Amino acid sequence: MTDLSFLKKMELWLLDMDGTIYLDDHLIEGAENFVNTLIEKQKRFLFLTNNSSKSVRTYIQKLYTLGLEFVSREHVYTSGQAAASYILKTYPRKKVYLVGTSDLQEEFERSGIPFSDEPELVVLGFDTTLTYQKLWRICDLVRAGLPYIATHADVNCPIKDGFMPDIGSVIAFIKASTGREPDVIIGKPNPPILEEISCMFATERSKMVMVGDRLYTDIAMGEKGIRTVLVLSGETSMEDLQMSPFCPDGVVSSVKELVALI
């Protein structure tokens, strides 16, 4: 087993959700005890997800339903929130065309971002209500040269019985039609979301650890100066790891194994 003694020195735990804490509507075995241990030992933690299809309010409700009744808004951060913050700083008062769910629209509205049929930039989120008309419209706007932001780039979203296509698949569709990729991708492992977290918690990156199941998002965060632990309860297998350019600081079957190491 990899030496994970460094975990006791971590000041901020960043926890992926899909595939790490739960799958679909079921907590992964040991997840509740793991989170309760973080609380008991007064460790700061943040549920950090690239899934921008749900608002913080929806995530809190889900975690509460799964038995994690202590969770509040301060414990959850999504790529949708990070995207809203980035837009406010980089494109203040600019009007947006958003491809996303009503939950993502709620997050943007909460931040005061204006929407328009004549937008000044386009934002692509993980839209589980996606229609051909939305795809057609965003392709027209991207082709016209408007600034193009994506909340994240995950290709698939893990579910209990496999995977569902995620935003990365839509990015590929748009590129095939327009020849363009997003100008900026906000979520893990890209700098914008980590910069937001660093500001929020005033914590050195060397004192942060990312726990997650995806090599190209969660574990790739290690290239930005934080520690990483791969869990094998979601998308990634040991075979995948052996073929990957991203190397975690540790590998465990699930968060259940981390309880004794906090």
Side-chain angles (χ1 to χ4, degrees):
M1 181 177 177
T2 310
D3 181 11
L4 295 176
S5 58
F6 70 88
L7 290 175
K8 292 189 180 296
K9 300 178 182 179
M10 296 296 99
E11 296 178 1
L12 178 61
W13 290 65
L14 305 176
L15 311 175
D16 180 53
M17 287 194 278
D18 298 327
T20 301
I21 298 298
Y22 58 73
L23 286 172
D24 285 351
D25 296 322
H26 303 277
L27 278 179
I28 289 170
E29 183 182 359
E32 183 174 3
N33 186 33
F34 166 66
V35 177
N36 284 336
T37 302
L38 288 173
I39 295 170
E40 290 169 4
K41 298 202 173 181
Q42 298 184 323
K43 297 289 186 177
R44 294 189 298 172
F45 66 93
L46 186 68
F47 291 113
L48 179 64
T49 180
N50 269 358
N51 189 339
S52 59
S53 69
K54 299 181 179 69
S55 66
V56 172
R57 175 182 54 79
T58 299
Y59 272 119
I60 291 171
Q61 289 173 346
K62 177 167 186 172
L63 292 167
Y64 186 91
T65 300
L66 292 175
L68 303 182
E69 300 178 0
F70 56 85
V71 176
S72 63
R73 176 167 285 271
E74 67 183 15
H75 291 120
V76 179
Y77 199 64
T78 73
S79 66
Q81 286 175 284
S85 181
Y86 176 86
I87 291 166
L88 289 172
K89 292 175 182 177
T90 311
Y91 299 99
R93 296 177 296 280
K94 296 295 185 182
K95 299 173 183 177
V96 169
Y97 177 75
L98 175 66
V99 174
T101 59
S102 58
D103 268 27
L104 183 57
Q105 182 173 337
E106 174 187 320
E107 292 292 357
F108 275 42
E109 289 174 342
R110 182 183 178 89
S111 298
I113 293 174
F115 301 100
S116 175
D117 291 333
E118 298 296 331
E120 297 165 278
L121 69 150
V122 296
V123 179
L124 175 64
F126 180 21
D127 190 357
T128 53
T129 62
L130 190 62
T131 65
Y132 189 79
Q133 289 298 320
K134 288 183 181 181
L135 284 171
W136 189 350
R137 177 63 170 154
I138 193 173
C139 284
D140 282 347
L141 295 171
V142 168
R143 193 178 294 109
L146 269 65
Y148 169 27
I149 297 169
T151 58
H152 60 291
D154 299 33
V155 176
N156 289 309
C157 179
I159 57 176
K160 184 179 180 182
D161 298 319
F163 304 96
M164 63 185 292
D166 206 324
I167 186 174
S169 303
V170 182
I171 289 172
F173 179 103
I174 294 171
K175 182 180 180 181
S177 176
T178 69
R180 284 184 64 190
E181 294 187 345
D183 301 314
V184 178
I185 299 174
I186 301 296
K188 300 175 293 184
N190 300 289
I193 196 165
L194 188 53
E195 289 168 3
E196 289 295 325
I197 293 167
S198 296
C199 290
M200 289 163 56
F201 287 90
T203 302
E204 295 179 10
R205 294 187 184 186
S206 62
K207 298 296 180 63
M208 300 181 191
V209 59
M210 180 76 227
V211 181
D213 68 305
R214 293 184 184 179
L215 293 164
Y216 64 96
T217 56
D218 301 318
I219 306 310
M221 294 273 277
E223 296 187 345
K224 306 300 188 294
I226 71 174
R227 309 300 291 268
T228 61
V229 175
L230 174 69
V231 294
L232 301 175
S233 52
E235 180 175 299
T236 301
S237 67
M238 284 301 296
E239 291 75 17
D240 296 328
L241 176 58
Q242 292 167 3
M243 300 292 290
S244 174
F246 305 115
C247 184
D249 293 299
V251 182
V252 294
S253 61
S254 74
V255 292
K256 181 179 181 179
E257 293 183 34
L258 297 178
V259 173
L261 300 167
I262 298 172

